Amino acid sequence: MTEESTDPAPSTGPDEATDVRRRTATVRGIELGRARPEIIVPLVGEDADALQAQAEAATATRARIVEWRLDRFRPDLEDAQEHREAVLDALPALRALLGPDRALLVTFRTTAEGGARPLADRDLGVLLESLITGRRAGTQSAVDMVDIETARTARVVERVIAAAHRHGTVVVGSFHDMEGTPSEQELVETLRAQRRLGADVPKIAVTPHGPRDVLTLLSASVAVAEDLSGPHIAISMGALGATSRVAAETFGSAATFASVGEGSAPGQLGAQDVAGMLELLRP
């Protein structure tokens, strides 16, 4: 759910107003957009046993949000329906292992944006909607957050966002550029456009080719943070962009991704290391 916080924002100077209303997104008591960025750990296990093992390792870290990368699960199942059924079968055990205090983000990253397998937009929508709407009456949803690539077919994006909001699921609207870093203006507009589509947490991840590309991403993140319209995630990938992962709070990003074992994107650092650096670099 998305809500407003009336806590004063940190002052950056004696003449600046401190009573600023900030919008946040809350899942399982975790408030994205306030104070220290959250650490999100991706699970990339290819079968149920590997998934469970990685989830157990994630629960031993300080990460409070776990991302299940559905595109990395059961690569042996090429049929979309068979894959969807395997995902739904594995969900209850994963949810039980994470416990009540960790949020589950489900993500199917398509090959168009650096993912492990292709999936037609229609099948992507069916998969994500089945996860969002699969709650039993009187129970909390197993899925707390859902990622939808906002470059997919507009109708599919709209349906997934609408279904998520009907069921109280937080939407991460994502865009990944695996080739380069667009201009600051383009990045800012992408994040704002994702918000207009209904994303509770817009997300961009880009590929730098030099230090100035990292600065471009960070500057875009600050610009959108100054909108005070809600939390967002901004990441510069690869070793060159590692600064963006550990200095997220300074530049306005509400979360960062860190690995336990195998990561899901270039440049991810270990979850425990990131937790320590986030504290050291707090402004």
Side-chain angles (χ1 to χ4, degrees), residues 34-50:
R34 182 199 294 271
R36 189 185 71 183
E38 292 296 328
I39 297 173
I40 303 174
V41 169
L43 306 181
V44 296
E46 293 187 351
D47 57 35
D49 290 341

Side-chain angles (χ1 to χ4, degrees), residues 99-253:
D101 298 325
R102 281 185 173 81
L104 177 60
L105 163 65
V106 292
T107 298
F108 190 106
R109 186 70 59 233
T110 68
T111 51
E113 300 201 15
R117 60 193 290 168
L119 188 66
D121 287 0
R122 179 183 177 279
D123 291 329
L124 174 64
V126 171
L127 171 62
L128 296 180
E129 287 188 64
S130 67
L131 288 162
I132 293 165
T133 60
R135 176 174 57 180
R136 291 178 298 172
T139 65
Q140 186 171 2
S141 176
V143 170
D144 305 291
M145 307 172 69
V146 61
D147 178 295
I148 178 65
E149 295 172 358
T150 52
R152 305 281 67 78
T153 305
R155 179 58 178 159
V156 168
V157 175
E158 291 168 1
R159 285 179 58 91
V160 170
I161 292 175
H165 287 167
R166 283 196 307 270
H167 290 82
T169 303
V170 168
V171 177
V172 177
S174 64
F175 167 76
H176 300 73
D177 191 325
M178 308 304 294
E179 302 297 328
T181 300
S183 70
E184 179 179 342
Q185 181 178 353
E186 291 176 282
L187 294 176
V188 169
E189 178 51 33
T190 295
L191 288 167
R192 289 173 176 166
Q194 289 169 335
R195 182 93 60 201
R196 290 193 296 270
L197 285 172
D200 303 297
V201 186
K203 175 193 172 186
I204 51 172
V206 298
T207 304
H209 294 291
R212 291 190 181 278
D213 285 344
V214 181
L215 290 175
T216 295
L217 181 280
L218 295 174
S219 184
S221 183
V222 171
V224 172
E226 289 173 344
D227 291 344
L228 299 176
S229 57
H232 71 275
I233 300 171
I235 298 168
S236 186
M237 295 184 285
L240 191 61
T243 301
S244 70
R245 297 183 181 275
V246 297
E249 183 173 0
T250 299
F251 296 96
S253 184

Side-chain angles (χ1 to χ4, degrees), residues 18-129:
T18 59
D19 186 18
V20 177
R21 295 179 67 85
R22 296 180 179 274
R23 298 187 67 82
T24 60
T26 302
V27 287
R28 294 187 181 262
I30 303 164
E31 197 169 9
L32 285 157
R34 182 199 294 271
R36 189 185 71 183
E38 292 296 328
I39 297 173
I40 303 174
V41 169
L43 306 181
V44 296
E46 293 187 351
D47 57 35
D49 290 341
L51 180 69
Q52 292 280 310
Q54 197 173 18
E56 288 179 3
T59 62
T61 73
R62 290 162 62 182
R64 298 195 294 174
I65 302 175
V66 173
E67 178 191 44
W68 185 11
R69 279 289 300 268
L70 307 174
D71 57 298
R72 303 283 288 270
F73 185 67
R74 295 298 304 272
D76 56 310
L77 299 178
E78 296 183 3
D79 179 77
Q81 181 175 342
E82 290 181 359
H83 177 259
R84 181 169 66 251
E85 290 172 354
V87 166
L88 292 172
D89 286 345
L91 178 60
L94 175 60
R95 176 69 268 172
L97 193 155
L98 295 179
D101 298 325
R102 281 185 173 81
L104 177 60
L105 163 65
V106 292
T107 298
F108 190 106
R109 186 70 59 233
T110 68
T111 51
E113 300 201 15
R117 60 193 290 168
L119 188 66
D121 287 0
R122 179 183 177 279
D123 291 329
L124 174 64
V126 171
L127 171 62
L128 296 180
E129 287 188 64

